[in-house]
Amino acid sequence: MTDEQTGDGERHSADLDAAVHSPAEDRYGFTHVAKQLAVAIGELGRDGSAVIGLEGAWGSGKTSLLNLLRLSLEAGLHERTFVLSVSPWLDGGSVSPVESLLLPVAAIIAEEEKRALSAPALKRLKRKKALTDTASKVLRYSQSTARHLGPVAEMAALVPGMPNASGALKAYSDAEFLTDRKTTAELRTEIGEKITALDLSFIVVMDDLDRLEPAQAVEIVRLVKSVADFPRFRYVLSYDKAVLAHAIQTGLGVTDGAAYLQKIVQISFSLPRPEAFSLRREFISGVKDLYLEVNGNGAGEQLLADLKRVADVYGAALSTPREVKLVLNILRFRYVGVRDYVYLPDLCLLQLIRVSNAGLYDWIEQYLTERAVVESRDGSVSDEGRTELKKELLEYLDNFPPSPARKAYNLGEWVPGITGFNNENITLFSQTRDEERAMMTAHKRLGSGAYWRYYFAFSSPQNVLPPAFFDDLFSQAADPAKQDAMAELLLGKIDSNNVSSRTWFEHILSQLSPAMVATQNAAACEGLVRFFFDYGDEVIHRYHQLNVWFAAYDLDIDGVVDRLIQRMCEVNRAATITFLQDICVEGNAWSWIARYVRHLMWQNGLVGDRPAMENDRVLSNEELVALLQLLAERLNQDEIRSLLLNTNDLLSYLYAWRDIDNVEHVRTWAENVIQTDEGLLQLLLRLRGRGISSATGRYLSLDLSGLSEFLGESRAIEQRLDHIEAEGKYLELMKEIRASQAHARF
């Protein structure tokens, strides 16, 4: 990453939640609005008085607009017009708003009066350390109206340019009060007349009035309505109308705070809501900057397309710039720590929902937690539980404004198991196809059984193995004499569960992140790769024993092996390619090897429709094609063909064999198997798909039309089944097959 990129990232991080202070920072067109407002305020004239209300919801950009308005006002000020900023919320209860306003007014008046004094008079004033006549009146008026308990001397010491000679000032102030006891009304009149005589005017800007306590809000009302209702004073108040009205209603005990506020504010201006596309544009821009900052390279086309889809559906609920900043803040806080375990658009989806519809965010976490239990067969969800979850989902979806986000099937694009076109007929916990599960795990999607937990926490739920364990693991992997012991250790972790339904083996896989692998030597990485090429089939077999519905894609072994091989290539690419060619031919886990190599083909776009970015590919096309030729020769060996009917997930293997070699060799093998009726039935049973569910459970399915490229026309196969059934042969096998066919049509 360049220094310029780093600096830009630091700028974004530092200013992520700051208001706009200059036109260069403006991303929502507030600069033009501010200029026009300044013109409109100027058109009111310097002689009149007015209270202007700048109204907008929290986070809509009022402070940003006020900052830009102040710049525009100051750029075109009359030389005797002053812009004063009063921040009662920042001052809190220690300083009265009356003091916050009138002390700087006193200082300005004092300076103007001094200019009119003769040199001797000015000298006497300085010698006495006294204020000018009107300035002292402003201080006395401030004291009486602000209910200030301290002497005028202490207040006068706060006026810029006035020496802090408290003794002299105290004597002066005490004498003044003894000899000049005017009413506040008289003082107010005299101050107003003097402001006019000096040809002064003031524009007072007050922000964050909607953050005040009711008592503070009442003070502001009193200040604007009566205390400082001087001629040539124009007030610009910034607030959320509903919030401030409620504070006034509470503080004054009136029945209608909004109506009362309307009596005070003569001119109101509602902050224009940023256009929806502007908010989504800023959100996408911020996410792209984050991706570049964290990963050091720009996002790919597919990621950007998925990000845009997320923003189009769920970004429509963003209503203010602050909400955009809030989502980006959360993403910036979370993404760095989990980037190796999440797909950024999916993380964006969750955080958009969290900010705009918090209840739905909690629902998604609960649903995925329940789904993990269902998928692992550790438990189930009752009909009543499903009904309640569906009811809650529909209620949360209704909280979105009218948009595609209200449709449950849109949520189903990211949260698996939600099916049904209309909200009324949606189904939860529907099973996903093996291909979808593989894709979700390969891309670390929210729906992945291996990665979903990272979207809600900084790690998987079972992250308790100490670092020393992994140090020892890599040490054994690097030593050929200890690799058998390492294999025994890893396989043993499949049969041991942590506190969750997931095994220690899955935890180990989840910890073999790019960051961890990047620190290892090539020998250690090679030892672990060799484990998977020798024991991958045994790993899958043991998981099938634990759970008949298990799919290899749920483990993401492919991703771990990718990282290990990439690390080996960084050290010595030529040696790594030679090693891979040898291990593909000699490795014991020939079925897993075939499926892994097909995964590499998907990466490079040789099959499938979602190739990985160039930088994420393990092998070049040339290297991969050379590997395919060697593996195809091995897969056609009679020894392997004879074992296929006992292979876990035979259908996935046949797809891999087809893509690595050609479909004709697969057909030839299948034709030999189905020459006998028993062979046909056994093959069909092995080719059933997993993951079909109904209201009463989960079932294997058999769709003959989907097997035609291997078995020939489905009609011919169906006729053979009818014949076998008519003869009354293989009754138990036929019963299973017919049940699986029925579930395929479910």
Side-chain angles (χ1 to χ4, degrees):
M1 188 182 298
T2 66
D3 291 340
E4 180 180 352
Q5 289 170 334
T6 303
D8 187 63
E10 290 173 354
R11 177 180 61 80
H12 278 290
S13 179
D15 298 343
L16 195 58
D17 199 30
V20 169
H21 289 87
S22 69
E25 300 171 1
D26 180 23
R27 307 297 294 268
Y28 296 101
F30 288 151
T31 300
H32 179 71
V33 177
K35 289 180 179 178
Q36 297 305 310
L37 274 174
V39 171
I41 292 172
E43 290 295 325
L44 294 175
R46 299 176 68 248
D47 293 329
S49 299
V51 180
I52 303 161
L54 185 61
E55 301 175 346
W58 277 345
S60 59
K62 296 189 298 298
T63 299
S64 295
L65 180 56
L66 216 55
N67 290 339
L68 295 171
L69 174 60
R70 189 179 297 110
L71 292 176
S72 295
L73 288 171
E74 291 172 347
L77 278 181
H78 184 280
E79 64 177 356
R80 300 177 71 76
T81 296
F82 300 87
V83 178
L84 303 177
S85 297
V86 179
S87 300
W89 185 70
L90 293 178
D91 292 337
S94 61
V95 180
S96 166
V98 174
E99 296 171 342
S100 297
L101 173 61
L102 294 187
L103 289 181
V105 169
I108 292 170
I109 291 176
E111 288 300 316
E112 293 299 320
E113 285 188 316
K114 286 177 184 178
R115 291 177 186 175
L117 292 176
S118 64
L122 182 59
K123 187 176 181 179
R124 286 195 300 272
L125 188 69
K126 289 182 178 179
R127 187 174 61 251
K128 292 175 60 178
K129 297 183 175 64
L131 290 172
T132 62
D133 180 61
T134 307
S136 65
K137 290 178 181 178
V138 173
L139 288 184
R140 291 200 300 275
Y141 182 69
S142 176
Q143 184 189 43
S144 60
T145 55
R147 308 182 182 93
H148 197 282
L149 298 179
V152 173
E154 295 178 10
M155 296 175 59
L158 299 175
V159 178
M162 176 58 62
N164 186 12
S166 58
L169 283 171
K170 186 176 188 305
Y172 160 78
S173 61
D174 290 344
E176 285 290 302
F177 270 87
L178 288 172
T179 60
D180 189 5
R181 294 183 176 275
K182 294 184 178 180
T183 67
T184 54
E186 290 172 330
L187 287 172
R188 175 183 168 191
T189 300
E190 291 181 8
I191 293 170
E193 291 173 349
K194 192 62 176 181
I195 289 172
T196 303
L198 291 172
D199 192 26
L200 300 178
S201 72
F202 297 89
I203 299 175
V204 182
V205 177
M206 291 188 177
D207 193 13
D208 291 329
L209 301 190
D210 45 16
R211 300 190 185 193
L212 300 177
E213 296 291 333
Q216 294 173 305
V218 170
E219 274 292 289
I220 295 298
V221 169
R222 194 171 68 89
L223 171 69
V224 174
K225 184 176 175 62
S226 58
V227 173
D229 185 20
F230 298 122
R232 295 179 167 234
F233 263 66
R234 285 161 287 174
Y235 290 91
V236 180
L237 312 181
S238 173
Y239 53 86
D240 181 314
K241 182 177 180 180
V243 175
L244 182 58
H246 182 267
I248 291 173
Q249 184 171 315
T250 303
L252 291 176
V254 297
T255 58
D256 191 340
Y260 194 94
L261 182 60
Q262 200 170 33
K263 296 178 182 179
I264 300 167
V265 178
Q266 292 95 37
I267 303 170
S268 62
F269 175 81
S270 296
L271 193 74
R273 171 174 173 167
E275 296 174 271
F277 79 87
S278 295
L279 296 173
R280 292 198 291 268
R281 177 199 64 205
E282 289 306 308
F283 168 71
I284 292 175
S285 177
V287 174
K288 289 166 63 177
D289 288 345
L290 174 61
Y291 186 91
L292 175 62
E293 180 184 337
V294 173
N295 297 288
N297 56 275
E301 291 183 6
Q302 186 60 57
L303 187 146
L304 292 177
D306 291 340
L307 176 61
K308 184 177 184 302
R309 173 64 177 156
V310 167
D312 286 345
V313 176
Y314 295 98
L318 295 170
S319 60
T320 67
R322 178 167 293 162
E323 288 183 344
V324 175
K325 290 181 180 179
L326 197 57
V327 177
L328 292 175
N329 278 343
I330 298 171
L331 289 171
R332 186 172 297 279
F333 179 72
R334 294 180 62 85
Y335 181 54
V336 175
V338 296
R339 68 167 183 175
D340 295 329
Y341 306 104
V342 301
Y343 185 56
L344 184 54
D346 288 8
L347 187 64
C348 291
L349 161 85
L350 280 179
Q351 302 315 319
L352 283 171
I353 291 175
R354 186 177 189 177
V355 167
S356 62
N357 195 341
L360 180 58
Y361 174 89
D362 293 336
W363 183 93
I364 293 172
E365 183 176 11
Q366 179 187 357
Y367 170 75
L368 289 177
T369 302
E370 299 285 353
R371 180 177 180 272
V373 173
V374 172
E375 289 288 303
S376 65
R377 307 293 286 179
D378 286 342
S380 61
V381 180
S382 66
D383 290 341
E384 293 81 2
R386 292 175 186 238
T387 299
E388 184 62 25
L389 279 172
K390 177 179 176 180
K391 176 184 175 183
E392 291 174 355
L393 172 60
L394 296 180
E395 290 174 353
Y396 291 132
L397 291 175
D398 282 342
N399 290 336
F400 283 117
S403 68
R406 283 191 171 186
K407 300 296 184 181
Y409 68 80
N410 280 325
L411 186 62
E413 291 185 32
W414 292 277
V415 181
I418 302 176
T419 58
F421 187 76
N422 297 316
N423 284 6
E424 292 72 19
N425 61 9
I426 63 166
T427 300
L428 303 181
F429 300 101
S430 297
Q431 299 301 320
T432 53
R433 294 181 294 108
D434 286 350
E435 292 82 358
E436 292 179 50
R437 293 166 69 183
M439 184 278 293
M440 287 189 290
T441 297
H443 294 281
K444 304 172 185 176
R445 302 297 300 269
L446 175 62
S448 166
Y451 290 100
W452 73 269
R453 182 65 181 167
Y454 285 98
Y455 286 87
F456 300 93
F458 279 111
S459 63
S460 61
Q462 69 288 352
N463 58 336
V464 291
L465 284 178
F469 173 88
F470 293 96
D471 293 340
D472 185 58
L473 177 67
F474 281 106
S475 175
Q476 292 185 55
D479 186 351
K482 297 181 179 179
Q483 288 176 359
D484 288 343
M486 178 197 70
E488 184 177 349
L489 170 69
L490 290 175
L491 292 174
K493 295 300 183 182
I494 296 175
D495 301 320
S496 58
N497 278 39
N498 190 13
V499 293
S500 74
S501 62
R502 305 186 68 192
T503 66
W504 285 116
F505 186 83
E506 290 167 83
H507 168 59
I508 294 169
L509 291 180
S510 72
Q511 295 303 298
L512 295 176
S513 66
M516 177 179 283
V517 171
T519 63
Q520 307 305 319
N521 59 50
C525 294
E526 180 181 314
L528 280 174
V529 170
R530 187 178 294 278
F531 166 80
F532 291 109
F533 275 73
D534 279 338
Y535 294 96
D537 288 338
E538 178 63 19
V539 169
I540 304 304
H541 173 69
R542 292 196 182 197
Y543 269 98
H544 272 298
Q545 289 182 318
L546 293 175
N547 176 13
V548 69
W549 304 106
F550 168 80
Y553 312 119
D554 293 334
L555 287 180
D556 192 34
I557 294 177
D558 294 348
V560 171
V561 175
D562 284 351
R563 294 192 279 276
L564 294 167
I565 295 175
Q566 286 170 328
R567 174 57 180 156
M568 293 167 61
C569 286
E570 290 176 0
V571 178
N572 190 329
R573 191 172 192 89
T576 301
I577 299 305
T578 300
F579 165 76
L580 287 176
Q581 291 175 344
D582 292 342
I583 200 70
C584 278
V585 174
E586 301 169 359
N588 296 324
W590 49 267
S591 178
W592 178 87
I593 292 172
R595 290 192 289 267
Y596 175 71
V597 171
R598 185 178 187 239
H599 155 76
L600 297 180
M601 296 175 71
W602 275 79
Q603 271 189 356
N604 288 42
L606 300 184
V607 295
D609 57 359
R610 288 180 66 112
M613 295 177 61
E614 291 283 350
N615 293 339
D616 294 333
R617 298 178 187 181
V618 175
L619 303 178
S620 68
N621 283 348
E622 182 180 1
E623 293 165 341
L624 184 54
V625 168
L627 199 66
L628 295 178
Q629 294 172 349
L630 293 171
L631 185 56
E633 183 177 346
R634 182 185 187 187
L635 298 184
N636 280 298
Q637 294 175 357
D638 290 339
E639 179 185 1
I640 289 180
R641 287 171 176 247
S642 66
L643 299 173
L644 290 188
L645 281 181
N646 295 321
T647 302
N648 285 316
D649 199 359
L650 177 59
L651 187 57
S652 292
Y653 174 83
L654 295 184
Y655 285 134
W657 184 13
R658 174 200 66 187
D659 292 338
I660 293 168
D661 188 12
N662 63 68
V663 72
E664 292 301 327
H665 286 159
V666 182
R667 286 176 181 166
T668 299
W669 171 80
E671 287 171 358
N672 289 333
V673 172
I674 66 175
Q675 286 181 1
T676 66
D677 290 344
E678 184 177 6
L680 171 64
L681 299 182
Q682 291 290 354
L683 180 57
L684 291 179
L685 289 174
R686 299 294 293 174
L687 293 180
R688 290 180 296 177
R690 292 185 299 276
I692 303 301
S693 66
S694 71
T696 57
R698 188 172 180 177
Y699 304 93
L700 296 170
S701 67
L702 179 63
D703 181 7
L704 294 179
S705 62
L707 303 174
S708 58
E709 67 172 323
F710 301 141
L711 304 182
E713 289 291 331
S714 59
R715 181 179 301 178
I717 299 297
E718 187 63 50
Q719 288 175 348
R720 283 190 62 182
L721 293 177
D722 290 342
H723 179 73
I724 295 171
E725 194 170 36
E727 290 185 339
K729 297 166 59 178
Y730 306 107
L731 296 180
E732 289 301 319
L733 296 180
M734 280 302 307
K735 182 178 179 181
E736 285 189 64
I737 287 174
R738 291 307 191 192
S740 297
Q741 286 183 286
H743 291 308
R745 295 188 291 268
F746 182 79

